[in-house]
RNA sequence: GGAGGAGUGCCCGAGUGGCUAAAGGGGGCGGACUGUAAAUCCGCUGGCUAUGCCUACGUUGGUUCGAAUCCAACCUCCUCCA
């Protein structure tokens, strides 16, 4: 029942290549049993998993950390399982949320799974025997209620479940916690054990907020004689202290259909100087020696490191070609007067049948959250159409504004630029 | 169980009848400077079919021409006593 919690270890010297890498690159936050895990990793290939909710049709940068950790495991010879919560998403993890999550229906979840799969396939080798993507609906859907209670219910005590922060905080806030949500932690524990039985999976990696859920799985495994391990990742914040991954336009999505490669590349190009070394270690495959060299760059030279960071991460997530294109666009756009060359947004041409309000357009492509915000941006002198500043809030867009190819460039501020193609 | 204090916008926090879409700060966004960085300075920061209208100061109801502000009940949090 006791776990050795190893906080970001200072003196521990891992023998396994995998752990060495993960620690050196800054992935370790806590581990249930670092030494034994190290031995297992050293002894031979193990199978590890990380789970993802299917609440949206794309993952976002917040998910990139576990993805990268899993990726390193694969690169060091281990087998990753990417578990998507087709079953658990129908329940909703109550961890650290004050209110219930909305429940999603099966069709929506299916759609989301497809989007997530697209990203995962790019990041991992999922060929036979190398790694796999698994949907926990496969077994969760099969359970009969009484069987489930009999097989697993005996291993959980309400007494202990009540002690979990995720449960307690909800109760203390006098917010309702449904039985459904209460049982979430059982499901995640069952997932771990199920993956252990099916694929000999012995390690779970997750965010630091998943510690409780992960430990539950480790404990449940022990009862059935399996030795399981948990490993959590640090909570990522930017140098300015805020939670990483939010921009003016919202979450930084991994799926190109949600955020263009150019937008994704720009996100990484614009990180704070102070974040560059850490991000290079966590989010690129560059060797540490190379990273040290890049991190030592000073002043304006550090911009080169940022470009490398952006291109590397975009390359991993969107593919090399997209990354190169984004790099070139960025270079062209910020060095000279050259405009974007590839459309970042596509809108139906019919929109221009009637004059289209600039306000609507800004909201439509996500540069403003509301008409009022769009108005303020214009008033503040931050909006450019085809490169020229406009202060006219009531500005209408018509076909006359389009450049060859039915295109229109729209910029908000210096960094947010869109090439809208009407087709 | 008893006594006291508190719940305000994304966050912190001022405000005790009309001048309050709510001081100040943080964060965010826009502008200047710069290196698409940081720091600094300036501006903006609920929504809408917009010189007006709607929504918003824990919840519900009440007093009043008028309530974040007064009253009642309820909910939550904190402190002290038991």
């Amino acid at each position: 029942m006791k776990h050795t919690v190893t906080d970001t270890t200072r003196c521990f010297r891992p023998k396994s290549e995998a752990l060495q890498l993960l620690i050196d690159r800054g992935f370790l936050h806590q581990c249930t049993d670092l030494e034994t895990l190290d031995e297992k990793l050293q002894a031979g290939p193990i199978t590890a998993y990380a789970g993802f909710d299917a609440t949206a049709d794309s993952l976002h940068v917040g998910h990139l950390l576990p993805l990268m950790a899993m990726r390193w495991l694969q690169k060091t010879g281990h087998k990753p399982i990417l578990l998507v919560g087709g079953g658990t998403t129908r329940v909703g993890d109550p961890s650290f949320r004050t209110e219930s999550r909305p429940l999603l229906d099966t069709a929506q979840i299916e759609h989301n799974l497809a989007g997530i799969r697209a990203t995962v396939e790019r990041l991992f080798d999922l060929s036979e025997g190398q790694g796999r993507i698994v949907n926990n609906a496969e077994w969760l859907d099969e359970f009969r209620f009484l069987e489930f209670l009999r097989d697993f219910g005996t291993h959980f005590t309400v007494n202990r479940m009540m002690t979990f922060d995720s449960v307690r905080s909800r109760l203390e806030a006098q917010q309702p916690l449904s039985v459904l949500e209460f049982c979430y932690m059982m499901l995640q524990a069952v997932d771990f054990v199920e993956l252990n039985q099916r694929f000999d999976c012995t390690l779970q990696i997750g965010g630091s907020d998943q510690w409780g859920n992960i430990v539950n799985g480790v404990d449940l495994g022990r009862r059935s004689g399996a030795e399981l391990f948990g490993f959590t990742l640090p909570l990522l914040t930017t140098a300015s202290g805020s939670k990483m991954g939010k921009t003016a336009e919202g979450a930084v999505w991994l799926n190109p259909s949600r955020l263009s490669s150019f937008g994704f590349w720009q996100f990484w190009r614009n990180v704070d100087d102070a974040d560059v070394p850490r991000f290079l270690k966590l989010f690129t495959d560059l060797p540490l020696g190379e990273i040290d060299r890049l991190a030592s760059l000073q002043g304006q030279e550090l911009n080169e490191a940022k470009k490398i960071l952006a291109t590397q991460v975009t390359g991993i997530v969107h593919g090399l070609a997209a990354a190169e294109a984004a790099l070139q666009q960025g270079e062209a756009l910020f060095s000279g007067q050259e405009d974007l060359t590839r459309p970042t947004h596509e809108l139906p041409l019919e929109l221009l049948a009637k004059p289209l309000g600039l306000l609507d357009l800004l909201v439509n492509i996500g540069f403003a959250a509301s008409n009022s915000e769009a108005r303020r941006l214009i008033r503040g002198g931050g909006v450019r159409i085809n490169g020229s500043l406009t202060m006219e809030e009531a500005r209408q867009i018509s076909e006359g504004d389009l450049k060859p190819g039915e295109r229109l460039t729209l910029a908000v501020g210096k960094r947010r630029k869109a090439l809208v193609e009407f087709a």
Side-chain angles (χ1 to χ4, degrees), chain A residues 181-200:
Chain A
E181 293 170 291
F182 186 59
C183 293
Y184 182 89
M185 63 173 80
M186 286 180 71
L187 297 181
Q188 191 167 333
V190 167
D191 277 349
F192 199 172
V193 169
E194 197 65 35
L195 287 171
N196 175 251
Q197 284 164 5
R198 292 179 177 224
F199 308 113
D200 194 28

Side-chain angles (χ1 to χ4, degrees), chain A residues 27-47:
Chain A
F27 284 96
L28 176 64
H29 179 239
Q30 292 175 301
C31 181
T32 52
D33 184 348
L34 204 51
E35 271 125 75
T36 316
L37 175 61
D38 189 37
E39 283 164 22
K40 300 279 178 193
L41 286 164
Q42 171 82 327
I46 68 158
T47 301

Side-chain angles (χ1 to χ4, degrees), chain A residues 50-95:
Chain A
F52 303 90
D53 269 343
T55 46
D57 65 3
S58 168
L59 298 173
H60 53 75
V61 282
H63 297 118
L64 204 48
L65 200 55
L67 287 171
M68 290 302 292
M70 294 296 283
R71 218 160 160 268
W72 282 115
L73 282 173
Q74 183 164 59
K75 281 174 186 287
T76 49
H78 304 284
K79 297 189 175 111
I81 295 178
L82 291 309
L83 179 77
V84 285
T88 33
T89 301
R90 290 212 295 274
V91 178
D93 182 2
S95 297

